[in-house]
Amino acid sequence: MPTRLIPRRIADDVIELQVSSPVEAQTLASALRELVPAEDVIAGLDRVSVQFHPSCAAQIEHALQDVTVENKTKPNSAPPIEIGISYGGEYGPDLASVCEALDLSTDAFIETHTQRVHTVEMIGFTPGFSYISGLPENFSVPRLASPRPRVPAGSVGVSAGFTGIYALNGPGGWPLIGKTDAELFRANNQDPFLLTPGQLVRFRAL
Amino acid sequence: MLVVTKPGLQSTLQAAPRIGYRHFGVPYAGPADELSHALANRLVGNTATTPALEITFGGFEAEVETECSIAVTGAYDQIHISGQTAPAHTTLHLKSGDRIEILPVTRGTRTYLAIATGFQADEAFGSKSTYLPAQLGGLDGRALKAGDRLKSVGSPVLRETRETPVSHRPVFAHAVALRACASAETDLLDEADRKSLFEDTFIAGRQATRMGVTLTGRTLSPMSDGQMKSAPVFPGTIQCPPSGTPVVLLCDAQTTGGYPRIGHIARCDRHLLGQIRPGDQTKLLQRRPEDALRDYAEKRKFLDTWLKP
């Protein structure tokens, strides 16, 4: 059954729709990019935001009145991509506190993280930053109270049930558990983004 | 051609925002003060989004290698051409050997310097604007260094002198009022905090970058467990992390974020964000979205009497 969505104004030039999963958000965002004259349509993990030029306000409001989303997921048949992580140490300064919060040994955390097949749910924040689901439900740790001003590229964090990989140097609020050498964003490459939503991922301890 | 002799704290080439790639995590970038950037281009006969220099806090010097027409807008205290005071908001005709100096700025933050036909710049993801964190656009995606040579696209001479009408010249003080709308998570603030956000005066914090400006002086306490799902954010979004210090996002705003979005600077006033200095008094004026759109249309109409004659 398709669900009818209620548009909500979150700024003078942004309307947001709430959905129930990252897959729905990605599907809806792709559809809307074809459907409405927006400046950009961005999927969050459970929202889709449509930013528009003020001259298109009436047209966008009208188009978003009757939007529905199908609650079905496409199975992904492509094999998982492997991403190596150096856990802990200088680039994983929060691994110990994360393990403490989860009441786990470091080894048990790494074992869980590397044994599961994860899914890229969203690219966002900065170019290439990937939100990857697949941690057990109870692996939920909050973001840092104050974001760090400088997080090195390749840093791997966990928050709210997701693994996140910082593709660039920059500020960041996720507790950091390690670092990868994988390049998630290559500006001059024909295909600049290593990961795309829907891609399956396996982590390997380096 | 200009040769940079003193780049200042952070000078970059900025042009049109990078529209249409936010869903890959690529921010808009573009000038932090879009209006001053457009005004500079107007004075040298360029379209509004032609690549021009954005200089942070002044302290910039360059040497002129070939005859050219330039214009300076945005924040400025003193502009010197070969040691002589020169006006902002006026086409300046320079000759080979002239020295341009933008002295340190004490009100506002960013100065814009445009050249007739525009500066040459790299294009990435459909825009020539510099985005430093990913080294996109501009001059090799980086801030300018001493010795950099900035070339114009065509012959950089305008055979005419233009002046921005006084009515259209933005004035920067140590206080700014910004129209703003409630946003997706404003409801997470209790009544007292909501009132505080839209009525109290905040002080711009020490973090005042192209990515965001913090609002200090009081803290807010959104009812949040720190587990909010990452949601889209934009230039203008006001996020409130658990520290309680709101952050207003600017042109280099990240594309998604997990902190409550407690407000959103209205489009009509977003250009002002690029001129907020640490320590400036900042007040938000709440507008309903439909009123803010009307404000935008009115401001646009007024600005276009000069920008699009």
Side-chain angles (χ1 to χ4, degrees):
Chain A
M1 257 294 279
T3 313
R4 189 154 171 271
L5 304 171
I6 316 288
R8 179 161 181 217
R9 202 65 166 257
I10 64 162
D12 51 338
D13 59 352
V14 184
I15 294 177
E16 190 164 86
L17 301 160
Q18 180 135 20
V19 291
S20 52
S21 70
V23 176
E24 271 187 24
Q26 294 294 335
T27 310
L28 177 64
S30 306
L32 288 178
R33 260 172 230 130
E34 305 300 316
L35 194 73
V36 296
E39 289 181 322
D40 211 339
V41 179
I42 297 101
L45 291 171
D46 62 354
R47 341 270 172 119
V48 173
S49 290
V50 179
Q51 170 147 58
F52 51 88
H53 189 273
S55 61
C56 301
Q59 213 180 336
I60 298 268
E61 279 169 43
H62 183 77
L64 295 181
Q65 256 166 27
D66 271 314
V67 172
T68 56
V69 66
E70 293 281 346
N71 320 82
K72 58 178 181 214
T73 57
K74 305 180 275 202
N76 191 323
S77 53
I81 187 169
E82 198 179 82
I83 290 183
I85 297 177
S86 310
Y87 287 91
E90 186 188 350
Y91 296 111
D94 304 314
L95 181 61
S97 61
V98 165
C99 288
E100 196 179 329
L102 298 174
D103 200 13
L104 279 178
S105 69
T106 309
D107 287 349
F109 176 89
I110 295 170
E111 196 178 313
T112 309
H113 203 235
T114 50
Q115 274 182 355
R116 302 171 78 97
V117 175
H118 303 251
T119 308
V120 179
E121 300 290 3
M122 180 176 104
I123 306 295
F125 183 58
T126 51
F129 184 100
S130 302
Y131 291 76
I132 303 166
S133 69
L135 285 170
E137 290 258 322
N138 58 350
F139 263 49
S140 204
V141 286
R143 287 181 181 73
L144 304 174
S146 283
R148 285 191 171 91
R150 270 174 293 279
V151 169
S155 293
V156 180
V158 289
S159 178
F162 287 86
T163 302
I165 307 180
Y166 288 86
L168 305 175
N169 296 320
W174 290 36
L176 303 179
I177 55 144
K179 188 171 188 284
T180 178
D181 294 331
E183 276 188 276
L184 272 69
F185 179 65
R186 298 152 297 179
N188 298 318
N189 202 303
Q190 184 109 39
D191 197 2
F193 303 98
L194 178 67
L195 302 177
T196 48
Q199 168 89 54
L200 302 178
V201 174
R202 246 183 207 288
F203 297 116
R204 184 168 53 89
L206 296 177
Chain B
M1 182 147 77
L2 301 184
V3 180
V4 177
T5 47
K6 212 174 134 189
L9 202 60
Q10 181 180 288
S11 297
T12 56
L13 288 166
Q14 296 297 339
R18 200 164 265 114
I19 301 280
Y21 294 93
R22 285 191 88 71
H23 60 284
F24 293 108
V26 182
Y28 287 152
D33 173 359
E34 217 166 18
L35 172 59
S36 294
H37 181 271
L39 288 169
N41 274 318
R42 173 75 174 88
L43 294 168
V44 291
N46 299 340
T47 56
T49 58
T50 302
L53 257 179
E54 178 180 282
I55 298 158
T56 314
F57 296 126
F60 174 89
E61 291 180 22
E63 258 171 39
V64 176
E65 282 204 339
T66 43
E67 184 189 8
C68 62
S69 305
I70 67 156
V72 178
T73 63
Y76 63 92
D77 280 22
Q78 289 275 320
I79 302 157
H80 287 175
I81 302 297
S82 300
Q84 301 291 309
T85 298
H89 285 290
T90 306
T91 319
L92 303 173
H93 303 286
L94 311 185
K95 55 186 192 309
S96 175
D98 274 342
R99 209 170 74 251
I100 305 169
E101 286 175 85
I102 313 286
L103 272 60
V105 161
T106 55
R107 276 163 303 146
T109 294
R110 293 179 177 88
T111 314
Y112 292 88
L113 190 161
I115 194 165
T117 72
F119 289 109
Q120 291 183 19
D122 302 338
E123 187 167 313
F125 296 95
S127 163
K128 293 184 172 174
S129 289
T130 308
Y131 174 60
L132 292 173
Q135 295 163 279
L136 303 179
L139 184 68
D140 302 329
R142 60 170 172 80
L144 301 185
K145 298 187 296 205
D148 279 341
R149 305 173 104 77
L150 301 173
K151 293 179 190 155
S152 60
V153 170
S155 165
V157 178
L158 186 76
R159 306 254 171 241
E160 153 185 17
T161 301
R162 299 178 179 178
E163 280 184 43
T164 312
V166 173
S167 56
H168 285 67
R169 296 184 185 194
V171 177
F172 308 112
H174 292 297
V176 66
L178 303 161
R179 285 166 279 191
C181 299
S183 193
E185 283 84 40
T186 305
D187 294 348
L188 296 181
L189 298 176
D190 65 19
E191 209 184 311
D193 271 0
R194 236 175 303 159
K195 209 162 140 52
S196 174
L197 177 65
F198 291 111
E199 288 182 14
D200 287 345
T201 299
F202 289 84
I203 305 296
R206 285 213 322 241
Q207 187 214 325
T209 65
R210 284 175 49 84
M211 202 168 173
V213 172
T214 51
L215 299 180
T216 68
R218 63 200 57 228
T219 55
L220 305 174
S221 318
M223 290 168 269
S224 166
D225 54 5
Q227 304 269 0
M228 192 188 116
K229 290 187 171 157
S230 282
V233 295
F234 299 88
T237 298
I238 308 169
Q239 286 190 308
C240 193
S243 65
T245 299
V247 183
V248 186
L249 302 181
L250 266 69
C251 48
D252 281 359
Q254 63 270 32
T255 66
T256 57
Y259 299 126
R261 299 161 297 171
I262 58 170
H264 204 114
I265 306 298
R267 192 165 179 132
C268 58
D269 285 344
R270 269 171 228 161
H271 64 96
L272 295 168
L273 294 172
Q275 296 295 355
I276 296 177
R277 288 174 76 88
D280 282 358
Q281 296 189 1
T282 308
K283 196 169 158 60
L284 305 181
L285 308 170
Q286 190 170 6
R287 284 284 188 280
R288 292 181 307 171
E290 58 271 31
D291 294 335
L293 280 183
R294 211 169 301 127
D295 294 342
Y296 177 83
E298 276 173 26
K299 193 170 198 172
R300 197 68 254 176
K301 194 173 157 198
F302 169 73
L303 292 173
D304 284 351
T305 58
W306 165 245
L307 287 172
K308 281 187 193 163

